[in-house]
């Protein structure tokens, strides 16, 4: 059923709202619940994170629906509001309105059927950006990996492997369609996620597409339906260095609502 819906999502006649509706409706209701004792064989840092992020007996969701607002840096900072669905491993849709000089730019970024696309229009009518291809797909795969911080139940999957770096950092290797990618989590003593970083395919400086360090600083958290997730984030390229604060940071967001399925 999921493959059928994802095939329908490729139809160009569907608008972003219809894409979101179909992707969400394709998700099966979670049956298994989180029980901390099932993960005692994981490294200590991973256990600490999962026990902080997921309340006992919370259904292990495979999708989350988010409502957010924030600012995007496109030469200068511009406010945005957005809704997003992340459905693992099928993909994601991020539908947003960005205000530039008082004018609304509407569009979406998405990864579906392992194909990434970006489509943006002035007033939602006049095309401004419409792009796809291998580079966009690889970049979108990295993005979904990082945004699993909002869907921590994915880290409970048996095909996720772990590598401890130190007392507060751990690498989770997550299998995506056609690739397995590492994401480094920094977790404090209480189990709260403080930073997330991972290699992402991109070309933010015009020097050509390649894997670069991408990440986010997680400034606050909030609990929704048994999941305690980052609720305020600053993210971007060239993470964990001076370049991040000067040039790499381009995304600041606050989560308003998160719904799980």
């Amino acid at each position: 059923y999921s493959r059928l819906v994802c095939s329908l999502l490729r139809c160009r006649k569907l608008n972003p709202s219809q894409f979101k509706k179909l992707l969400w409706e394709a998700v099966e209701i979670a049956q298994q619940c989180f029980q901390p004792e099932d993960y005692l064989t994981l490294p200590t840092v991973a256990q600490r994170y999962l026990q902080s992020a997921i309340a006992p007996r919370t259904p292990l969701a495979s999708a989350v629906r988010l409502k957010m607002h924030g600012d995007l840096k496109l030469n200068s900072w511009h406010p945005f509001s957005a809704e997003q669905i992340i459905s693992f491993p099928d993909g994601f849709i991020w539908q947003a309105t960005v205000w530039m000089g008082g004018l609304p730019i509407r569009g979406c970024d998405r990864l579906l059927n392992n194909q990434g696309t970006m489509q943006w229009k002035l007033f939602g009518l006049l095309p401004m950006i419409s792009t796809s291809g291998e580079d966009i797909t690889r970049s979108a795969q990295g993005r979904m990996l990082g945004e699993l911080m909002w869907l921590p139940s994915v880290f409970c999957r048996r095909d996720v492997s772990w590598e401890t770096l130190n007392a507060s950092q751990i690498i989770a290797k997550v299998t995506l369609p056609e690739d397995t990618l590492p994401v480094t989590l920094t977790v404090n003593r209480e189990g709260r996620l403080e930073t997330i970083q991972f290699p992402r395919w991109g070309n933010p400086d015009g020097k050509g597409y390649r894997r670069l360090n991408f990440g986010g600083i997680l400034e606050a958290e909030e609990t929704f339906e048994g999941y305690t997730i980052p609720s305020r984030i600053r993210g971007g390229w060239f993470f964990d260095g001076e370049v991040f604060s000067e040039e790499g940071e381009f995304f600041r967001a606050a989560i308003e609502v998160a719904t799980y399925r």
Side-chain angles (χ1 to χ4, degrees):
Y1 179 63
S2 181
R3 289 195 186 96
L4 172 61
V5 171
C6 284
S7 295
L8 290 173
L9 291 173
R10 297 176 63 184
C11 177
R12 296 181 180 273
K13 295 181 180 179
L14 297 178
N15 62 42
S17 295
Q18 291 171 317
F19 278 116
K20 287 191 305 180
K21 184 174 185 293
L22 282 175
L23 185 60
W24 186 251
E25 290 179 348
V27 178
E28 295 184 3
I29 303 299
Q31 301 296 323
Q32 183 180 356
C33 293
F34 179 71
Q35 301 290 355
E37 60 269 22
D38 293 340
Y39 303 93
L40 296 179
T41 59
L42 297 185
T44 301
V45 182
Q47 291 185 53
R48 192 163 72 235
Y49 165 60
L50 291 177
Q51 290 174 16
S52 174
I54 312 175
R57 297 180 295 280
T58 298
L60 289 175
S62 58
V64 60
R65 186 168 192 158
L66 302 166
K67 184 177 181 180
M68 67 182 75
H69 69 274
D71 297 280
L72 286 176
K73 189 176 182 181
L74 305 168
N75 294 321
S76 59
W77 289 96
H78 303 279
F80 78 86
S81 60
E83 291 188 1
Q84 180 172 8
I85 291 175
I86 305 167
S87 178
F88 191 88
D90 288 333
F92 70 83
I93 299 172
W94 188 73
Q95 182 184 7
T97 299
V98 182
W99 294 89
M100 300 180 65
L103 300 177
I105 312 298
R106 297 188 176 95
C108 69
D109 299 344
R110 62 178 181 254
L111 175 68
L112 296 165
N113 270 2
N114 206 32
Q115 294 186 14
T117 60
M118 300 173 63
Q119 294 180 330
W120 292 86
K121 299 178 181 180
L122 178 63
F123 301 112
L125 298 172
L126 303 176
M128 296 184 66
I129 298 175
S130 181
T131 185
S132 59
E134 182 180 356
D135 289 328
I136 301 300
T137 295
R138 294 179 70 179
S139 183
Q141 290 173 333
R143 172 177 174 168
M144 185 167 74
L145 178 72
E147 291 180 348
L148 293 180
M149 62 183 172
W150 291 318
L151 188 58
S153 46
V154 171
F155 293 113
C156 295
R157 291 170 58 102
R158 299 303 179 187
D159 58 356
V160 174
S161 60
W162 299 89
E163 176 186 347
T164 301
L165 293 179
N166 51 53
S168 61
Q169 287 189 308
I170 194 163
I171 296 175
K173 295 182 179 179
V174 181
T175 300
L176 299 172
E178 301 183 10
D179 205 357
T180 298
L181 298 172
V183 55
T184 301
L185 310 175
T186 302
V187 181
N188 69 11
R189 292 183 178 181
E190 289 71 41
R192 186 174 77 83
L193 192 60
E194 294 186 328
T195 69
I196 186 168
Q197 53 186 305
F198 50 95
R200 184 179 178 186
W201 192 254
N203 180 25
D205 53 8
K207 296 181 179 180
Y209 277 91
R210 73 272 194 204
R211 287 204 186 280
L212 296 168
N213 202 21
F214 193 99
I217 299 170
L218 316 177
E219 299 181 323
E221 64 180 15
E222 192 169 343
T223 300
F224 303 91
E225 299 184 359
Y227 288 92
T228 301
I229 59 172
S231 58
R232 193 169 69 245
I233 177 175
R234 298 190 292 118
W237 300 96
F238 311 109
F239 188 70
D240 203 19
E242 291 184 6
V243 179
F244 170 76
S245 58
E246 296 174 359
E247 302 176 20
E249 182 184 352
F250 72 91
F251 182 78
R252 298 172 180 171
I255 300 299
E256 301 171 23
V257 179
T259 304
Y260 290 87
R261 188 167 186 173

